[in-house]
Amino acid sequence: MNFLIYHPQLQRIFEALGLTILHSLWQGLMLMVLLWAMLRLVRYEKARLRFILAFGTLMLMLLAFTTTFHYEWDSLKPIATVSQSLSAESITLTEFKVSSAPSFWEQIKSETYRLFYPLAENAHILAVAWFIGSLLFSLRLSLGLWQIQQLKQKRQALPAYWLSKAAELQKLLSIRQRVEICINNRLDSPLTLGWLKPMILFPASMLTAMSAEQLESILVHELAHIRRHDYLWNLLQSIAEVILFYHPAYWYIASVLEQEREHACDMITLKITGRPQVYA
């Protein structure tokens, strides 16, 4: 990482980022344990509340990440400012130690340094590794969005009967948005896209392989995703994944979100159709 030596500001960014990643390990662990405890207290049937708790925990992880980065960035400011006017031979970091009693955050910080000293000493390397991983996950997200656009372009009209049926179901679900429902031959399972202009894509094979009652149940399930604005929440989760991809707590929260999202739509479907055996 010799190139960082010649770019003090860039080195400062990577050092602050690396230390932020280290702190996020214990921060995320604490939030994960808290979420796990809360989910034990909420009944399985309350999928909407469980989803809100998990999504709120994810947002807290992001908030902790950004707040910690701001703190680490500020803590490096005095060193960066002094280093511009004084040479390394005339001054050392030890001369900037504060004599006052350490704050709670500083105590946590010192304990983190003690536990992860080898990593803290090479925080910039950790940050570079994070940057590469974040770039790969960003490319993955961009590729997924591009594939969605390709699927939209290869859609076909749904039979008039099902368009009429979908309009009736939208009224039952209190969906005021215009929902476009189409067929796509490249899909193996239904797909709900968009937030402001939602769209449901059905595999063409489903229209002939399933009964009318089964198709209606699946249609209600996909409309339930639109009612819950799941596409928007899923997009925000994907953005969070670009930042927190390295953290085990994120993948735990992501699994909870996926499970509760589908469970909530299942509950709505059963409430509307009243046919649990057909839906199963």
Side-chain angles (χ1 to χ4, degrees), residues 34 50 52 68 94 106 118 152 169 190 206 210 218 227:
L34 179 62
R50 293 166 66 89
I52 291 174
T68 303
T94 56
E106 289 171 339
K152 286 183 177 181
L169 294 174
M206 288 185 62
M210 293 187 174
I218 294 175
R227 176 184 171 181

Side-chain angles (χ1 to χ4, degrees), residues 54-75:
F55 197 86
T57 303
L58 179 60
M59 293 300 101
L60 285 177
M61 279 190 67
L62 283 177
L63 179 62
F65 189 95
T66 54
T67 303
T68 303
F69 178 79
H70 183 266
Y71 174 85
E72 293 295 344
W73 173 268
D74 276 348
S75 68

Side-chain angles (χ1 to χ4, degrees), residues 177-192:
Q177 296 170 284
R178 180 182 177 274
V179 181
E180 187 175 1
I181 305 177
C182 303
I183 300 172
N184 189 294
N185 294 322
R186 299 174 58 184
L187 290 176
D188 297 323
S189 60
L191 186 63
T192 302

Side-chain angles (χ1 to χ4, degrees), residues 168-177 227:
E168 296 176 7
L169 294 174
Q170 287 181 56
K171 292 181 181 179
L172 289 175
L173 290 166
S174 301
I175 298 176
R176 298 181 179 180
Q177 296 170 284
R227 176 184 171 181

